Amino acid sequence: MSLDQEIYNLAIQEGFSPIASKLIVAQARYESANYGSNVFNNNNNMYGMKFIGQDKQPLATRGTLAPPNERSDSCLKDGVCVDRDYYAKYKTPTDSAKDVLQRLYKKTRNGIGFNELRDVKDAQEFANKLKTRNYFGFHDISTSDGQAEANTYARGLNARLLMVSVIEFYQSNKKKINYTLMGVILIGVTSLAYWYYKKKMN
């Protein structure tokens, strides 16, 4: 199963709408340079998550050091680096998605929590809400610089949306597919048995 599909299925299972789930896949692609960034390759980290400690982030360990502009002053000036100066490292990319979907997005930050994220309708709305949560960038969304950062993020999400490849029908209709398949098999077996019976009678 592709990473796109794994993330999408997980988001659906966690209660996000199909549109929001596709945006979360697009976000993974955007943050990880289509699953090709150094952070992804070295840490199985699709979302650029920082490490905040094993007790708060049980699926992660301390990974590679973040770039200078994302480190604390003590790390830059004195070489005393703390957990948050490092990226989170995961055993698998799926654990990275679980950390975001099951832990981070279930928490409310600046009034934006799961209920506000699960039904977003487009990339701009998703970017604005993530920005309000201070998920990315360096400026508050209420400022022109902050809104510019949100707009840039939304454009990045829209570009990655064009690359997302998921089967939306499968996850939401899994049981129906299974029942239909069982029905087809039963009809086939019954038809085959009847054909053998007729052949034997002749």
Side-chain angles (χ1 to χ4, degrees):
M1 186 184 297
S2 70
L3 277 178
D4 281 5
Q5 193 70 54
E6 286 186 32
I7 300 165
Y8 178 83
N9 287 356
L10 183 61
I12 290 290
Q13 290 165 11
E14 292 301 319
F16 292 87
S17 72
I19 293 174
S21 297
K22 287 185 77 172
L23 284 165
I24 288 166
V25 178
Q27 182 189 13
R29 281 184 167 274
Y30 182 50
E31 293 279 359
S32 68
N34 291 319
Y35 313 127
S37 68
N38 288 333
V39 175
F40 175 77
N41 290 328
N42 294 326
N43 304 284
N44 283 322
N45 188 332
M46 295 186 287
Y47 294 89
M49 296 288 289
K50 296 295 176 46
F51 185 58
I52 59 173
Q54 197 75 58
D55 56 331
K56 298 178 181 178
Q57 213 170 12
L59 292 175
T61 57
R62 183 185 279 192
T64 56
L65 196 60
N69 66 330
E70 296 179 17
R71 297 179 206 169
S72 63
D73 288 341
S74 65
C75 186
L76 286 173
K77 296 176 182 177
D78 306 318
V80 181
C81 302
V82 297
D83 283 341
R84 290 178 184 273
D85 292 314
Y86 296 83
Y87 287 111
K89 183 173 184 176
Y90 303 91
K91 288 183 179 179
T92 67
T94 303
D95 282 347
S96 170
K98 286 180 180 178
D99 189 31
V100 169
L101 296 170
Q102 297 175 348
R103 181 188 62 82
L104 184 64
Y105 286 176
K106 295 298 174 74
K107 292 182 177 180
T108 299
R109 291 186 174 176
N110 293 335
I112 304 296
F114 170 71
N115 290 334
E116 290 70 38
L117 293 172
R118 67 180 177 184
D119 293 315
V120 292
K121 299 297 189 293
D122 55 42
Q124 189 66 60
E125 181 184 3
F126 190 42
N128 286 346
K129 289 185 175 181
L130 290 179
K131 182 61 181 168
T132 301
R133 286 172 59 93
N134 293 323
Y135 182 85
F136 61 87
F138 302 96
H139 305 281
D140 191 273
I141 193 170
S142 63
T143 67
S144 59
D145 286 338
Q147 190 57 62
E149 287 177 336
N151 294 343
T152 298
Y153 199 90
R155 286 194 295 272
L157 291 178
N158 276 323
R160 297 317 189 276
L161 268 177
L162 299 174
M163 304 175 186
V164 170
S165 177
V166 295
I167 301 173
E168 297 181 60
F169 176 79
Y170 175 74
Q171 186 61 39
S172 59
N173 295 278
K174 206 174 196 178
K175 291 182 179 178
K176 291 180 183 178
I177 291 174
N178 288 339
Y179 291 142
T180 301
L181 183 59
M182 287 174 60
V184 169
I185 291 172
L186 284 174
I187 292 170
V189 169
T190 303
S191 299
L192 187 61
Y194 179 73
W195 179 79
Y196 275 121
Y197 172 77
K198 292 288 288 182
K199 186 175 181 181
K200 192 172 182 181
M201 290 296 291
N202 292 335

